[in-house]
Amino acid sequence: MIDFFLNAYAQAPIFQIVLEFVAFVFGIMSVWYASKENILVYPTGLIATIISVYLLYIAGYLGDMLINGYFTIMSFYGWYQWSQKTNNADKLPITRTNLTQKGIGLLLFLGTIVVVWSIYKLFNYTINPENYLDILASGIFFTAMWYMAHKKIENWVLWILGDLLVTPLYAYRGLGMLSLQYLIFTILAILAYLEWRKILNNNQQTYSE
């Protein structure tokens, strides 16, 4: 098991290993902050995604690089959204998606799949069977990030699904640290969903009284 995590880094430069570890730590911190509805989810997430974009570019994983590039952009947008006050509240409240937002999420999911597939074709990348999981995960993660920016509880359902897809995918590719990271993300996302559901239910009870 130890060899599985270490073999992939046998030929990697020290600075690259250090960067991946930093992204690993800040990525986990970001998900933990998100579960606590803490706006620090975004600055910590930005550190993780910016580093990941660079590392994935070096590794040549185009789909994953695009996902993290989008995460970087959406982190700025989410940071802005979470800092806004709505309906005299001190912060953006956790809510469920309405029918319109579900439709937007579906369009974003399908549109992302088409765009990522097109980029693979545009740059003449060979689409191997596992790349279709990349493409599917891209659609899931893109939608999840948009829902998170608006504090929609459904974002956690999508994170869980996406993390479950890519955890074995990274293990198959021999990227042990990334596989472990997404396994931890899966656990944290499940706990975060339960935490947000509790907050949402408490808020609904407060408003109904």
Side-chain angles (χ1 to χ4, degrees):
M1 181 63 71
I2 295 176
D3 288 341
F4 169 71
F5 288 102
L6 296 181
N7 286 343
Y9 304 99
Q11 304 298 323
I14 295 297
F15 85 93
Q16 187 173 326
I17 297 173
V18 171
L19 283 177
E20 187 168 337
F21 180 74
V22 171
F24 177 88
V25 172
F26 276 89
I28 291 172
M29 287 174 60
S30 179
V31 177
W32 186 84
Y33 280 128
S35 71
K36 300 302 179 182
E37 207 183 348
N38 190 317
I39 201 168
L40 287 176
V41 55
Y42 290 110
T44 52
L46 277 167
I47 293 172
T49 57
I50 290 171
I51 293 174
S52 295
V53 167
Y54 172 70
L55 292 176
L56 290 165
Y57 171 76
I58 292 175
Y61 294 124
L62 184 62
D64 301 281
M65 185 189 75
L66 289 172
I67 291 172
N68 280 273
Y70 170 79
F71 286 172
T72 300
I73 295 170
M74 284 299 293
S75 290
F76 287 108
Y77 175 68
W79 197 343
Y80 170 79
Q81 286 290 116
W82 280 38
S83 65
Q84 300 304 298
K85 295 181 179 180
T86 59
N87 300 324
N88 298 320
D90 291 333
K91 59 184 179 181
L92 184 69
I94 296 171
T95 55
R96 297 187 185 278
T97 56
N98 56 35
L99 187 59
T100 299
Q101 291 160 343
K102 284 182 171 64
I104 293 172
L106 179 60
L107 289 174
L108 185 58
F109 169 73
L110 296 174
T112 301
I113 288 175
V114 171
V115 169
V116 175
W117 181 85
S118 299
I119 291 174
Y120 270 101
K121 289 296 185 180
L122 180 64
F123 288 94
N124 293 320
Y125 276 79
T126 300
I127 303 181
N128 297 314
E130 66 269 17
N131 293 127
Y132 287 103
L133 288 179
D134 275 337
I135 295 170
L136 179 61
S138 297
I140 293 172
F141 286 144
F142 272 45
T143 309
M145 194 69 181
W146 189 82
Y147 280 160
M148 175 175 279
H150 294 272
K151 277 196 181 178
K152 301 301 177 181
I153 193 171
E154 290 87 351
N155 87 88
W156 292 115
V157 177
L158 295 179
W159 286 122
I160 293 166
L161 290 174
D163 292 342
L164 287 172
L165 275 177
V166 300
T167 296
L169 178 62
Y170 283 128
Y172 169 76
R173 289 171 169 170
L175 299 174
M177 193 177 294
L178 275 176
S179 179
L180 176 61
Q181 183 183 45
Y182 276 92
L183 177 60
I184 295 172
F185 282 171
T186 304
I187 297 169
L188 290 176
I190 293 170
L191 296 175
Y193 172 78
L194 297 174
E195 182 79 14
W196 277 37
R197 188 177 65 177
K198 181 179 178 181
I199 294 170
L200 179 60
N201 290 338
N202 288 339
N203 289 344
Q204 289 174 340
Q205 289 178 2
T206 300
Y207 292 138
S208 63
E209 292 177 352

